[in-house]
Amino acid sequence: MTLSPARVPGTGPGSGPAFRRLTATLYGYAFLDDFVLLYPVYALLFSDTGLTVWQISSLFCLWSLTGVLLEIPSGAWADAVSRRLLLWFGPLLTAAGFILWVLAPSYWAFALGFILWGAKGALGSGALEALVYEELDRLGATDRYAAVMGRARAAGLVAVMAAIPLAGPVYAFGGYPAVGLASVLACLLTAATATRFPEHREPADGPGEGVDDGPGDAPGGGWTRTLRAGLAEARGDRSVRGALLLVPAVTAVWGALDEYTPLLVRDTGVAESAVPNWLLLIWAGATVGGLLAGAGRRLGTGGFAGLLAVSAVALAAGAWVRTPAGIGLVALSFCGFQLASVLADARLQDRIGGTGRATLTSVAGVGTDLTTIAVYGAYGVIGSATTHGAAFALFAVPYLVTAVLLAVVGKGTAGKGTAGKKAARAARTSGSRARP
């Protein structure tokens, strides 16, 4: 097993220039990565080009399928080569896709652009989490991971909320080419920001010097070997398997429901022009959830179960009443689900002990993608047979089931005493990879 990089002497958790460089780069990267003015108008671009609803839906399916197919191989690759390299290269793929969209708008150009966009998502998924966690580990600050990643997700949501009002004026000024150019520029700035990530890694085939590799340097080892090693760890460690399953169980449903929130809001009877304002309330709730991740880190299994249960009840109640006031409860539920999603990722990172951190994070990503696709299909059936409020309320049930299961697990482990926890804390303090 590859040992952790040596800790940096003389730096405390959450302090020092190394920590500030890492977090500033991460927050900038997260903001620029989602500051894409094409987001609120690309469906209009497809429609104005002459695509049918079926063709547009097929593009979304192609986008999701690309991510599913490339997620695990790219995660294994991220464990075998420089993760910073993948975070730099991915946004360039998206930029190329956006250029195709505005210069040669057609079904096949849109399809190729979505393939490139899906590949970018796969390259970053797993690589980003692994890089951040291991750099924090080097600084002795892994307990800050949830807070740091929560703020990064909040930065991404703020970028989306900023891009929506800006897209209109830019489109009025120069049409789709201007919006596309602004989106390409954001991608290029994202790639440039990625080069600022610190990366101190040892080779996958054994301990090394732990030097700061350049963007193109590969720490060594083949991606197929890291893939096998990562999957072997999941098979051999029940705590890792449980954390892997928890990520899609928490993340997928509300992530898919987010696509239908405009329909839910419109069904409350508000004017069409007011729908974006209510959506901003929901996104603001999710942003607050990310910012609360540092405090939420202290939640045990029982507290995590309670968070899911309260969020599920708020989602069901807020959607069921079908009034504008109920949207406030939906925003509260999204706050809880975003917090739970960050905490689920942190629990997974804490339990991974081998060299396949990005691989296993990508396995969780595949589970999330597949579950999300299933939710899309189920919502298509349920939403066609009932109201959007009833459909949202029904999709709160999986979270209640997950909360019950976690509560049972929490009770089962509560009687084991604190000796194991003390040993785990001591092991982490000494730099080992003991599971909590």
Side-chain angles (χ1 to χ4, degrees), residues 35 44 128 172 306 313:
F35 190 64
L44 301 177
L128 180 64
V313 171

Side-chain angles (χ1 to χ4, degrees), residues 129-148:
E129 293 86 350
L131 184 150
V132 172
Y133 190 90
E134 292 187 357
E135 288 300 312
L136 288 174
D137 185 35
R138 177 176 174 269
L139 299 174
T142 54
D143 60 328
R144 300 293 303 277
Y145 176 81
V148 167

Side-chain angles (χ1 to χ4, degrees), residues 57-210:
S57 297
S58 70
L59 291 175
F60 293 150
C61 290
L62 180 63
W63 189 15
S64 299
L65 183 61
T66 301
V68 169
L69 293 177
L70 296 181
E71 184 84 32
I72 294 178
S74 66
W77 193 22
D79 283 328
V81 304
S82 168
R83 291 160 181 163
R84 182 170 58 191
L85 170 65
L86 302 188
L87 296 174
W88 165 79
F89 184 63
L92 300 182
L93 295 178
T94 309
F98 291 161
I99 291 173
L100 279 174
W101 285 7
V102 296
L103 293 183
S106 66
Y107 178 84
W108 294 110
F110 298 146
L112 181 56
F114 268 126
I115 290 174
L116 293 173
W117 200 351
K120 177 263 176 188
L123 290 176
S125 176
L128 180 64
E129 293 86 350
L131 184 150
V132 172
Y133 190 90
E134 292 187 357
E135 288 300 312
L136 288 174
D137 185 35
R138 177 176 174 269
L139 299 174
T142 54
D143 60 328
R144 300 293 303 277
Y145 176 81
V148 167
M149 292 304 292
R151 291 169 187 164
R153 295 196 186 190
L157 289 171
V158 169
V160 172
M161 290 188 286
I164 290 174
L166 281 176
V170 173
Y171 176 80
F173 173 77
Y176 292 121
V179 176
L181 177 62
S183 301
V184 170
L185 179 60
C187 293
L188 296 179
L189 290 175
T190 305
T193 302
T195 64
R196 293 287 302 156
F197 273 116
E199 184 175 20
H200 300 78
R201 296 188 59 205
E202 295 178 352
D205 54 356
E209 298 301 322

Side-chain angles (χ1 to χ4, degrees), residues 202-229:
E202 295 178 352
D205 54 356
E209 298 301 322
V211 296
D212 191 355
D213 301 319
D217 296 336
W223 73 270
T224 55
R225 182 173 57 186
T226 60
L227 174 60
R228 291 193 299 269

